[in-house]
C-alpha cells in the first residue's frame, strides 16, 4: 500500500518532466540503460548525453534504444549542433542528471570547463543539476573530490548518494552509484513542491472564437501553451485545478479538470460557475476584446466588393471576476508589443489584480517566435511594490517559476 502511494507520487511528479541524463566514464554506466527505462516508466521524457569516457562503458546505441532519442556525444558535431545543440539541450531540460558522475566529471564542473559537450551544457543549463557520483571509495574519500563536492553543493548542485557497499573494483566503502529506482525517487523529490497544497486554482487558457456565421469566426494566435503549462505547474505544486479552455490542440495535463468553451461569453459563464471556493484565478486566455454585433444564422454570401463588420466589446472576464471574488488572488497576463511595464502596471491597477505577468510578443534574435505560438517565453512579473523578470525559458519551467512567485505572495492578500 505504502509502496503504491510512493509510486503514485513519483509518477505524478515526473510526468512530462524533461530529464537530460549525462553518462560519464564510470563502470556504473552499465546501470544507465535501466535508469533511463525507469525514468521513462515514471512519465519523464529522457534524452541522453555521453562523455567520451561514458561511451567506453556502454554504447550510445543502447541508450538511444532505451531513450527513444538520438544520443549526443560531441560538442563540435555540425549535424548535431544544427539539430539540438548544447544550448538547446540545456534549455530543453527540466533537470540535468549526471549519473554516473565520475570523479573527473565533478572536477571539470568545478572548473567550469566548456571544452566538451557535457561541460558546455553544465555552463549553459539554468535548470537544476543533480550528480550521482560513482567511483572507487578511495577516489571518493580523496580530499580533492570532497572539496569539489563541497563546491558544487555550494552552487546548488544536488547530490544523490553515493551509497556504501561492495564496489566493482572489489573494495568496500562509499562511492557506489545509487540504484536506478533510488535515483528516480530522488529526481521526483526535486519536483515535489507542495507550495499550493490544498488550494483551488481556476485558469483560463487559449484563444476565444467569436462567430460571424456558422462557418466563420474572429480569433487570435494563442496556442494555449502557457495556460496549460500553468495548469500542470499548479497541479505539481499540489493544487486542485480547473482549466477553462478555448479551442486549442493540446490535451489537458493529468489531474486537471478541463471545461471546453468557444466564445468569450461562454468563457465568462464557465468561469463564474467554477468560482466557488477558488483561492487563485489565473487568466492566461487571450480573450477576444470584440465580437460581431450580429451572428448570421446562415453562411454569409459573397456580395459587395468590400465587407464591413460591426463589432461590440466582450465582457472583461478578469475584471469581472476580480470584482465578484475580492478574496481570490488574481493573476492577469498581458501580451504587449511595446511599453511592457507601463501597460502591465496599468492593467494591474485597472483590473484590481494581485499580480500580472507580461510578455513581449515578437521574435528572438534568431527569428524564432517568442510568446504566442512558441514553446519558449519570458515574463516580467509585477505586483504592488515589486517585480521580477523571468528570462527566456521553456514555458513549462517558466510556469513553475511563476507558480512559486504566486505561492510566495498569496498570503500577503488580506
Ligand atoms: N482578459 C479577460 N477578458 C477579456 C480581455 C482580457 O479576462 N475580455 C484578461 C486576459 O486573460 C489577461 C488580461 O485580461 O489576463 C489582459 O488581457 P489583454 O488582452 O492584454 O488586455 P486588455 O485589457 O484586453 O487590453 P489591450 O488588449 O488593450 O492591451
Amino acid at each position: 500500500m505504502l509502496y503504491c502511494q510512493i509510486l503514485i507520487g513519483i509518477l505524478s511528479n515526473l510526468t512530462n518532466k524533461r530529464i537530460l541524463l549525462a553518462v560519464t566514464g564510470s563502470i556504473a554506466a552499465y546501470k544507465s540503460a535501466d535508469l533511463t527505462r525507469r525514468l521513462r516508466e515514471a512519465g519523464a521524457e529522457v534524452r541522453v548525453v555521453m562523455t567520451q569516457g561514458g561511451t567506453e562503458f556502454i554504447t550510445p546505441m543502447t541508450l538511444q534504444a532505451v531513450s527513444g532519442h538520438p544520443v549526443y556525444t560531441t560538442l563540435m558535431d555540425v549535424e548535431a549542433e544544427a539539430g539540438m545543440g548544447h544550448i538547446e539541450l540545456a534549455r530543453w531540460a527540466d533537470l540535468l542528471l549526471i549519473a554516473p558522475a565520475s570523479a573527473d566529471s565533478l572536477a571539470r564542473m568545478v572548473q567550469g570547463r566548456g571544452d566538451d559537450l557535457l561541460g558546455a551544457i553544465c555552463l549553459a543549463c539554468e535548470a537544476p543539476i543533480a550528480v550521482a557520483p560513482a567511483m572507487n571509495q578511495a577516489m571518493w574519500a580523496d580530499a580533492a573530490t570532497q572539496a569539489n563536492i563541497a563546491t558544487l553543493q555550494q552552487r546548488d548542485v544536488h547530490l544523490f548518494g553515493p551509497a556504501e557497499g561492495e564496489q566493482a573494483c572489489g573494495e568496500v566503502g562509499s562511492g557506489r552509484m545509487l540504484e536506478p529506482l533510488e535515483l528516480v525517487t530522488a529526481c521526483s523529490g526535486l519536483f515535489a513542491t507542495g507550495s499550493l497544497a490544498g488550494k483551488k486554482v481556476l485558469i483560463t487558457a487559449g484563444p476565444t472564437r467569436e462567430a460571424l456565421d456558422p462557418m466563420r469566426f474572429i480569433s487570435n494566435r494563442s496556442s494555449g501553451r502557457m495556460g496549460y503549462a500553468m495548469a500542470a505547474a499548479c497541479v505539481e505544486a499540489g493544487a486542485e485545478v480547473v482549466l477553462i479552455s478555448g479551442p486549442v490542440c493540446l490535451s489537458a495535463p493529468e489531474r486537471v479538470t478541463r471545461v471546453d468553451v468557444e466564445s468569450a461569453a461562454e468563457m465568462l459563464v464557465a468561469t463564474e460557475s467554477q468560482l466557488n471556493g477558488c483561492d487563485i484565478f489565473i487568466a492566461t486566455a487571450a480573450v477576444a476584446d470584440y465580437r460581431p454585433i450580429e451572428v448570421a444564422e446562415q453562411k454569409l454570401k459573397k456580395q459587395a466588393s468590400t465587407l464591413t463588420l460591426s463589432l461590440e466589446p466582450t465582457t472583461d472576464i478578469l475584471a469581472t471576476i476580480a470584482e465578484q471574488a475580492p478574496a481570490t488572488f488574481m493573476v492577469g497576463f498581458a501580451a504587449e508589443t511595446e511599453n511592457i511595464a507601463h501597460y502591465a502596471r496599468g492593467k494591474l491597477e485597472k483590473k484590481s489584480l494581485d499580480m500580472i505577468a507580461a510578455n513581449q510578443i515578437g521574435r528572438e534574435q534568431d527569428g524564432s517566435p517568442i510568446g504566442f505560438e512558441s514553446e519558449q517565453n519570458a515574463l516580467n512579473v509585477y505586483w504592488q511594490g515589486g517585480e521580477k523578470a523571468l528570462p527566456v525559458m521553456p514555458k513549462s519551467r517558466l510556469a513553475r517559476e511563476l507558480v512559486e512567485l504566486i505561492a510566495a505572495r498569496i498570503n500577503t492578500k488580506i
Side-chain angles (χ1 to χ4, degrees):
M1 181 65 187
L2 181 64
Y3 175 73
C4 281
Q5 280 171 351
I6 292 169
L7 200 62
I8 289 167
I10 289 173
L11 288 179
S12 56
N13 288 339
L14 289 179
T15 301
N16 296 332
K17 294 299 177 312
R18 294 165 161 183
I19 298 186
L20 187 56
L21 173 64
V23 178
T24 72
S26 156
I27 179 61
Y30 80 89
K31 295 181 183 172
S32 301
D34 190 32
L35 174 59
T36 304
R37 195 173 60 88
R38 293 197 183 268
L39 285 168
R40 291 187 73 194
E41 276 171 4
E45 198 183 332
V46 182
R47 289 181 184 262
V48 181
V49 298
M50 300 180 80
T51 61
Q52 187 60 43
T55 63
E56 309 281 341
F57 289 94
I58 183 170
T59 69
M61 183 71 84
T62 305
L63 294 173
Q64 175 168 321
V66 288
S67 69
H69 291 288
V71 168
Y72 305 87
T73 53
T74 49
L75 179 59
M76 295 303 175
D77 180 335
V78 177
E79 245 174 62
E81 285 288 309
M84 232 183 168
H86 61 287
I87 301 290
E88 279 76 20
L89 284 167
R91 274 191 193 157
W92 175 87
D94 293 320
L95 169 67
L96 170 58
L97 170 63
I98 305 172
S102 64
D104 180 60
S105 66
L106 298 174
R108 295 172 67 83
M109 280 174 81
V110 168
Q111 288 178 358
R113 296 277 288 268
D115 58 353
D116 73 350
L117 180 62
L118 178 57
I121 288 173
C122 286
L123 291 175
C125 189
E126 291 179 44
I129 300 178
V131 293
M135 66 198 73
N136 163 273
Q137 54 86 22
M139 290 171 77
W140 172 250
D142 187 86
T145 304
Q146 288 304 308
N148 287 339
I149 281 292
T151 305
L152 291 176
Q153 285 186 294
Q154 270 167 20
R155 294 181 195 164
D156 289 334
V157 170
H158 300 274
L159 178 64
F160 294 167
E164 300 221 358
E166 199 174 322
Q167 301 201 297
C169 53
E171 295 179 17
V172 178
S174 189
R176 274 171 59 135
M177 187 171 85
L178 293 184
E179 293 304 319
L181 255 186
E182 293 173 312
L183 287 175
V184 173
T185 309
C187 290
S188 165
L190 291 184
F191 291 108
T193 66
S195 55
L196 293 184
K199 304 285 183 209
K200 179 179 171 185
V201 182
L202 191 53
I203 300 174
T204 61
T208 63
R209 287 180 181 172
E210 309 304 325
L212 283 163
D213 70 14
M215 287 179 64
R216 303 179 180 100
F217 53 79
I218 298 173
S219 192
N220 59 61
R221 291 182 188 278
S222 167
S223 66
R225 285 199 194 106
M226 194 62 220
Y228 277 59
M230 286 302 291
C234 288
V235 165
E236 190 178 293
E240 174 197 339
V241 178
V242 178
L243 180 63
I244 316 275
S245 176
V248 294
C249 304
L250 300 171
S251 38
E254 282 188 44
R255 291 169 297 146
V256 164
T257 306
R258 169 171 160 175
V259 180
D260 286 313
V261 297
E262 286 230 342
S263 64
E266 285 173 16
M267 190 172 270
L268 175 62
V269 171
T271 306
E272 285 176 330
S273 74
Q274 295 287 343
L275 201 51
N276 197 11
C278 169
D279 299 291
I280 302 168
F281 177 55
I282 306 174
T284 70
V287 186
D289 288 330
Y290 292 90
R291 63 168 167 242
I293 292 179
E294 277 178 33
V295 183
E297 272 181 33
Q298 304 300 331
K299 181 185 169 191
L300 291 167
K301 301 303 276 182
K302 190 166 42 182
Q303 285 162 341
S305 58
T306 60
L307 174 68
T308 304
L309 296 174
S310 293
L311 306 176
E312 63 183 2
T314 57
T315 306
D316 190 313
I317 300 171
L318 180 55
T320 308
I321 298 296
E323 241 178 71
Q324 286 179 15
T328 301
F329 192 87
M330 293 286 154
V331 183
F333 270 69
E336 308 289 353
T337 54
E338 57 176 356
N339 298 334
I340 301 185
H342 173 72
Y343 286 130
R345 284 215 177 268
K347 288 173 191 178
L348 186 75
E349 285 295 320
K350 197 170 129 214
K351 303 194 188 198
S352 308
L353 307 180
D354 296 292
M355 187 178 276
I356 189 154
N359 66 317
Q360 179 128 18
I361 299 297
R363 303 213 159 251
E364 281 193 84
Q365 277 175 351
D366 66 359
S368 53
I370 171 168
F372 276 26
E373 297 180 299
S374 160
E375 293 280 352
Q376 308 239 85
N377 205 357
L379 292 172
N380 288 312
V381 187
Y382 304 94
W383 58 90
Q384 205 73 49
E387 63 180 84
K388 178 156 188 187
L390 303 175
V392 177
M393 60 183 106
K395 286 180 177 174
S396 54
R397 188 146 21 106
L398 199 57
R400 278 186 210 123
E401 298 216 1
L402 183 54
V403 163
E404 289 315 310
L405 274 183
I406 294 171
R409 304 246 2 120
I410 187 165
N411 292 329
T412 61
K413 187 151 177 128
I414 303 146

